[in-house]
Every structure is written in structure tokens, then in C-alpha cells.
Amino acid sequence: MLFCFSSTSIWQGFFLFDCAIWLFFYLMVYSRFKLALKKKGILFVAIDQNKSLSEQGPFDIVLHKLSGKEWRQILEDYRQSHPEVTVLDPPDAIQHLHNRQYMLQEVADMNFSDSHGKVGVPRQLVVKRDASSIPDAISRAGLRLPLVAKPLVADGSAKSHELSLAYDRYSLQKLEPPLVLQEFVNHGGVMFKVYIVGEAIKVVRRFSLPNVSRKELSKNAGVFRFPRVSCAAASADDADLDPSVAELPPRPLLERFAKELRRRLGLRLFNLDIIREHGTRDHYYVIDINYFPGYGKMPEYEHIFTDFLLSLAQSKYRKRSSS
């Protein structure tokens, strides 16, 4: 599939495995995104998996969302033999986000704070096997209830987004490892989805799990399963919310934090699920990081994404001209 929009075009190769992501790109190309691409002179070329990458193109950018050892090796070999091509994003860097044991480690290591606030991660515990050991493991780790249980593997599948909220530690024995247990932080039932496309940042509000009071915690027991919260929840941007809950994180804080996190992760296309601890003005937690999310939900996505691709190619050309 080839889309040619001008005589002075940038070649953008894409190979996408996830059907939801494929649908997203299909809609982009045939709607507003098509117009934005045409204005900027970008060709979108579908990559044939049955052919060598070197036999196709030439490309300025290869955009992909694939996993698997074989594909990572193919892309790494291609990067080595074609250093002039930008691969979005490096497979090894993407792989880092597929395991929730390591996903938030860079955020924790940053221990980020400035005059606008502090960004951290909830305390968590990894359970790789033997669900019967969970109650004792929780006690040793000193984790406080309730706990959010998430699959250890975060590969974009429906299963990887399944959540459970546990009100008592013994009920967690019903869950199937491997999984991550994360302390639930009351946040007013609102989550901030921070979309990052290169240096561009967009924030939207989403409804999330409601606060859990001490009274509720003492009266309830068991494990309650939830669908993918960020996907199933409606937008909270136009809702009549308490200002202390609805207020977006300060822009300067997000810009500084995102810049450093991009550098540490080695990624340019991802989003953050961020919450503000209820009762505070400036204490934030990153609870999840998603590579190459559904940008169709991001305001002005077609212009932001197109400008990002164009800036990457132009930067390459400037470097070639100066060398």
C-alpha cells in the first residue's frame, strides 16, 4: 500500500501488528491525517513482512509496533546497516516497557521533584509464581491495602490490561501469577493521560477508580476485577469536577519530567497514566507507561504526529548537509 502526496516527499515505512493500531492508522490516512500528510509531503508505505527491509524503501523513518525476538533482530540489523534511517522506536527500548517489573523503574530512579511538584511511583511487589505466598510477601514488603493487581507482562493485549482491586491480602491467592501488586493511591477518581510525541505533550482527563475510604476497606473483602480502566472510562475533560481534582498537572513539571524520561527510556512515542494523590496539590504518581498508544484520542493528533515525523526527517537532512 503506497500513498504518494507530492513530488518532494518523505518516505515513511510502517509495519504494525496490533489490529487496533492498524485500524487507527487506517482511519488517520483516510481522514484528517490524510490531509495533514498531503500538506507536508509525506508518503506512507506499508512494509512487506515477507521481504527484506533492505529490499524496500528507501525509507527516512520506519514506524512499527511489533514484538518478538526475531523481529527485534531484523530491525537491529537494519539499523546497523542503515544508520541514516530513523527507527521508531528501538525494539530493545520498547521491550523494556513490556515488563511491569521494570516499566516504572526509571521513574522511581529519577525521584523527580521541582518547585511545581513531585513525581513518583506507587510501591509495588512482583509475584512470579506461587500465589499462596502472596499474603506473607505483602506483609514482609509492608504494602498497604487495597492493592491493584496487574499482569506482569504488558504487551498491549487485552489480558495485559486486566486489573483487579484487592481489599484483603488473602483473596489475592485467587489470582494467577506472574503479576504486579501495586498500592492503590486515592486520586479522586480522575487520571491524567499524558501523550508524548517527541517533544510534544498533550494531557487529557479520564475517569478512573474511585477513592477507597478506610471504612470501605474495613467492610469489604475479596478481589474485584475491572476492564481496562483507561480505555473503558469516559473522558472527564468536560465533567463538572472539584477543581482540586480536575486541575491538570503544571505544564513546566510535565515538560521537564517528560524530557528526562524520554532520554532515560530512549523512546519518543508513549503515554503516561498519571494520578494526583487525593488531598495534595503537587504529589503525582505514574502508574503505567504505554508504548505507541491510541493517539486518535489525543487532541490535534494529526497535526502533532505529522509535524513530528517531518521534524525527524528534516533533522536528518540537515545533519547530512552539514557533514
Side-chain angles (χ1 to χ4, degrees):
M1 181 165 39
L2 174 64
F3 302 93
C4 184
F5 295 130
S6 76
S7 58
T8 56
S9 299
I10 293 168
W11 281 69
Q12 166 75 50
F14 68 94
F15 194 99
L16 303 161
F17 185 79
D18 187 288
C19 62
I21 299 297
W22 174 265
L23 177 60
F24 160 62
F25 267 85
Y26 179 86
L27 293 175
M28 284 201 306
V29 169
Y30 287 100
S31 59
R32 293 177 299 175
F33 194 59
K34 177 180 178 180
L35 297 177
L37 287 171
K38 185 175 182 179
K39 290 178 181 178
K40 301 296 183 179
I42 298 178
L43 283 82
F44 234 45
V45 184
I47 293 173
D48 188 344
Q49 189 184 17
N50 297 316
K51 295 181 180 179
S52 166
L53 281 176
S54 297
E55 297 176 4
Q56 303 176 65
F59 302 120
D60 292 287
I61 301 167
V62 172
L63 178 65
H64 74 104
K65 189 177 181 180
L66 282 176
S67 58
K69 185 176 180 180
E70 182 179 357
W71 173 251
R72 293 201 304 272
Q73 189 59 53
I74 289 172
L75 266 188
E76 187 56 39
D77 292 344
Y78 183 76
R79 290 178 66 207
Q80 295 297 325
S81 59
H82 295 80
E84 75 283 2
V85 179
T86 299
V87 175
L88 291 176
D89 272 311
D92 289 342
I94 297 172
Q95 191 68 17
H96 188 76
L97 296 187
H98 287 173
N99 188 316
R100 286 195 170 96
Q101 181 174 2
Y102 310 113
M103 175 193 289
L104 302 180
Q105 191 58 51
E106 293 294 350
V107 179
D109 292 343
M110 286 170 65
N111 194 26
F112 184 90
S113 65
D114 64 10
S115 59
H116 298 283
K118 180 179 180 180
V119 183
V121 299
R123 292 196 302 166
Q124 65 180 34
L125 173 70
V126 176
V127 180
K128 293 186 176 180
R129 60 181 69 88
D130 189 13
S132 64
S133 67
I134 292 179
D136 289 339
I138 290 173
S139 296
R140 289 194 300 270
L143 265 62
R144 296 175 299 178
L145 295 166
L147 296 173
V148 178
K150 305 178 180 180
L152 182 62
V153 176
D155 57 4
S157 65
K159 182 176 176 59
S160 71
H161 290 291
E162 293 177 353
L163 300 181
S164 299
L165 186 64
Y167 283 84
D168 72 281
R169 57 180 183 162
Y170 294 103
S171 295
L172 286 165
Q173 297 178 90
K174 300 176 183 177
L175 297 177
E176 183 179 348
L179 51 82
V180 171
L181 301 176
Q182 197 175 79
E183 283 189 339
F184 178 76
V185 178
N186 282 334
H187 52 282
V190 172
M191 174 176 63
F192 306 104
K193 293 197 75 70
V194 181
Y195 292 94
I196 296 171
V197 182
E199 297 181 3
I201 299 173
K202 281 287 183 178
V203 187
V204 297
R205 300 178 189 86
R206 287 283 184 271
F207 285 114
S208 181
L209 299 180
N211 289 346
V212 178
S213 67
R214 291 184 179 180
K215 184 177 181 180
E216 288 178 281
L217 187 58
S218 65
K219 289 187 174 182
N220 289 291
V223 174
F224 299 87
R225 298 181 184 273
F226 296 90
R228 181 176 180 176
V229 174
S230 62
C231 190
S235 170
D237 282 333
D238 299 322
D240 184 16
L241 299 170
D242 182 328
S244 65
V245 173
E247 182 182 6
L248 296 176
R251 186 77 186 182
L253 178 141
L254 290 179
E255 289 176 346
R256 285 192 58 201
F257 178 74
K259 181 179 181 180
E260 177 62 15
L261 190 58
R262 282 199 314 269
R263 185 188 69 81
R264 286 172 175 256
L265 294 177
L267 298 172
R268 285 170 280 195
L269 298 173
F270 60 97
N271 81 346
L272 309 170
D273 290 346
I274 295 181
I275 58 175
R276 179 195 293 113
E277 185 173 5
H278 190 63
T280 74
R281 288 184 53 86
D282 59 2
H283 199 170
Y284 301 92
Y285 291 90
V286 178
I287 58 175
D288 233 342
I289 305 176
N290 304 291
Y291 178 68
F292 206 150
Y295 283 111
K297 300 175 183 178
M298 181 181 76
E300 302 175 339
Y301 72 87
E302 67 275 17
H303 300 297
I304 292 173
F305 208 95
T306 303
D307 288 344
F308 166 65
L309 297 177
L310 187 64
S311 68
L312 286 179
Q314 290 176 336
S315 176
K316 287 276 187 180
Y317 290 148
R318 283 194 295 268
K319 289 180 181 178
R320 292 176 196 170
S321 300
S322 61
S323 60

